[in-house]
Amino acid sequence: MKTEELQQQNNMNLEPFYQALEDEPKLLEEAFEIVLEMVSTDPKAAKKIAHLIKEDFHGLYKEVVALSKPEQGQDNTPSCCGGH
């Protein structure tokens, strides 16, 4: 009996939730912030999410990598220390 209840919970229709996220940009932003907060407090979750993004959301991964790189033509070494 308990197994059947768990299966029903797992199969519940999430379409209204997804539709609400699509219809209300602020709700989507808040949901995303909650997920990021959860990930930032759990290193294992952070690693799993990073792997998921790299493997399944390559466009997002490429954007994050691009933002992580220093701008072209700039060096991280200060000019006072012979950067070029």
Side-chain angles (χ1 to χ4, degrees), residues 24-82:
E24 189 60 48
K26 185 68 176 165
L27 184 61
L28 177 61
E29 182 180 326
E30 290 174 8
F32 192 64
E33 286 177 7
I34 291 168
V35 169
L36 289 176
E37 184 66 34
M38 292 168 60
V39 169
S40 69
T41 59
D42 182 357
K44 289 179 184 178
K47 188 172 185 174
K48 288 178 183 178
I49 294 295
H51 183 71
L52 175 70
I53 290 170
K54 183 178 180 184
E55 295 299 317
D56 295 343
F57 300 94
H58 197 69
L60 176 58
Y61 175 75
K62 286 173 31 180
E63 288 296 323
V64 170
V65 169
L67 288 172
S68 300
K69 292 180 181 179
E71 291 183 31
Q72 279 187 329
Q74 291 186 352
D75 195 350
N76 287 340
T77 308
S79 60
C80 68
C81 304

